[in-house]
Amino acid sequence: MASNKTLVPEAKEALERFKMEAASEVGVNLKQGYNGDLTSKQAGSVGGQMVKKMTPTRLLIFKRPSRIKRGHKVDVKYEFCLMA
């Protein structure tokens, strides 16, 4: 059974600040307390921004020979997320 109980009560204030910061970054106006009037898109964008900040992605770029033109090099980009 899922619960939204905060495991570390001392962290609740920090999590609220983090949520407010993420909301302002994506242009969603949150108010203190209940925000049930948000659309799913708005709530999802706030949650998505929080996850994005908690699990930063890394971009690796290297050059490899082109498969189309001989003697040319192309940039290859790999984006990945470091997970514990």
Side-chain angles (χ1 to χ4, degrees):
M1 182 157 86
S3 171
N4 65 356
K5 183 179 176 185
T6 305
L7 294 176
V8 182
E10 298 81 17
K12 190 169 185 151
E13 186 178 321
L15 285 171
E16 281 297 313
R17 283 194 313 266
F18 181 49
K19 180 171 61 173
M20 297 300 251
E21 179 183 315
S24 70
E25 289 174 0
V26 293
V28 175
N29 293 322
L30 290 183
K31 53 188 176 286
Q32 293 290 21
Y34 182 69
N35 284 284
D37 56 335
L38 293 180
T39 65
S40 296
K41 183 177 181 179
Q42 290 172 319
S45 65
V46 172
Q49 182 69 7
M50 291 174 74
V51 169
K52 187 176 175 182
K53 287 187 154 283
M54 288 187 281
T55 57
T57 57
R58 302 290 186 251
L59 184 63
L60 176 67
I61 302 172
F62 64 94
K63 293 200 178 280
R64 68 158 173 78
S66 173
R67 296 181 185 155
I68 300 170
K69 293 185 179 181
R70 255 192 194 163
H72 286 90
K73 300 272 185 182
V74 295
D75 285 343
V76 178
K77 298 178 183 180
Y78 288 99
E79 190 172 325
F80 58 95
C81 184
L82 300 175
M83 304 294 279

